[in-house]
Amino acid sequence: MTQKRAKVAVVGSLNMDVVVKAKRPPEMGETVMGEAVHFIPGGKGANQAVAAARLGAQTLMIGAVGDDPFGQSLLESLQKSGVDSRGVKTVSGVATGIASILLAEGDNSIVVVAGANGRCLPEDVEAGRELLSEADILLLQLEIPLETVLTAARTAKELGKRVVLNPAPARELPDELYRLTDVITPNRSELGLLTGRPVEEEGLEAAMRELLDRGVGCVVTTLGARGAACLSPEGGFRRVEGIPVEVVDTTGAGDAFNAALACGLSEGMDLPAAVDFAGRTAALAVTRLGAQDGMPQRKEVEAFTKRLNGG
Ligand code: RIB
């Protein structure tokens, strides 16, 4: 039997990641010498689009870049991975989004300047309605204006599509957005921020249940090296173990996870199977430097799965 090809739409951000490696982060007011700097295509939306395309999904993106060299190279990065970028507009006189990323002591810290992402507007979603109708699942994050996210979710539901919301970076959300969301995917700290509840092991399930009560279809919480947890009315609460790997760079791990989750669901996997597939994709992504540069191809995830199964 041939597997159904996933059809994924992403409405979200594109950033140029300026990645600096240093032995340790500076204290406030201190200067430290870095070891290397890399300019790597990023942005949660674009990362998710690239990851989905590399996993074999027919993928389209709606977003905005500035009319500068960074904008041009972000568009090229999408196209190189096979993402349909017709929905990404170029805004004159505005800088492309930038993420300043410090890699130190095995972790990262990120400051994002939205730039052109702030110009990704509800009218762009309306103009892209026909494009959106080609997909069967919509992936959203929170690095573009909230009104645009809401319009995209409404449009997707009107078109009968499923909506996956990655609530990153976390912020307070309108009730309507919860009700429009089929799968919400906070990490542990985003879950804490959204619910105001304790999210350590004992509190985790109750916090996730709170999001179900607000109207989402199901909740998937990513837990870094500890794997993930999912909660749905049909399947209840389940933990999925993390996969031990040699970590090089965790930037974009959540994006790899979300893209794979959307692909898996669009291909017809059930929630636990899609979460499992997402965990394997994210585990591979963290073994490489850079957000988009680190996104694995489908055949690499399949080979990794074979190795995990002792094949
Ligand atoms: O999720 C990782 C991404 O967050 C980076 O690529 C950076 O651009 C920030 O948006």
Side-chain angles (χ1 to χ4, degrees), residues 62 124-134 155 158-159:
I62 292 175
D124 300 317
V125 174
E126 278 140 24
R129 193 181 174 95
E130 210 171 300
L131 275 179
L132 289 177
S133 71
E134 290 169 18
T155 308
E158 281 163 23
L159 293 167

Side-chain angles (χ1 to χ4, degrees), residues 13 15-17 40-44 47 98-99 101 110 112 143 251-255 291-292:
S13 58
N15 297 327
M16 181 55 78
D17 290 353
I40 305 177
K44 293 184 193 306
N47 294 345
I98 292 279
I101 303 184
I110 306 185
V112 174
E143 285 186 331
T251 314
D255 300 326
Q292 280 170 45

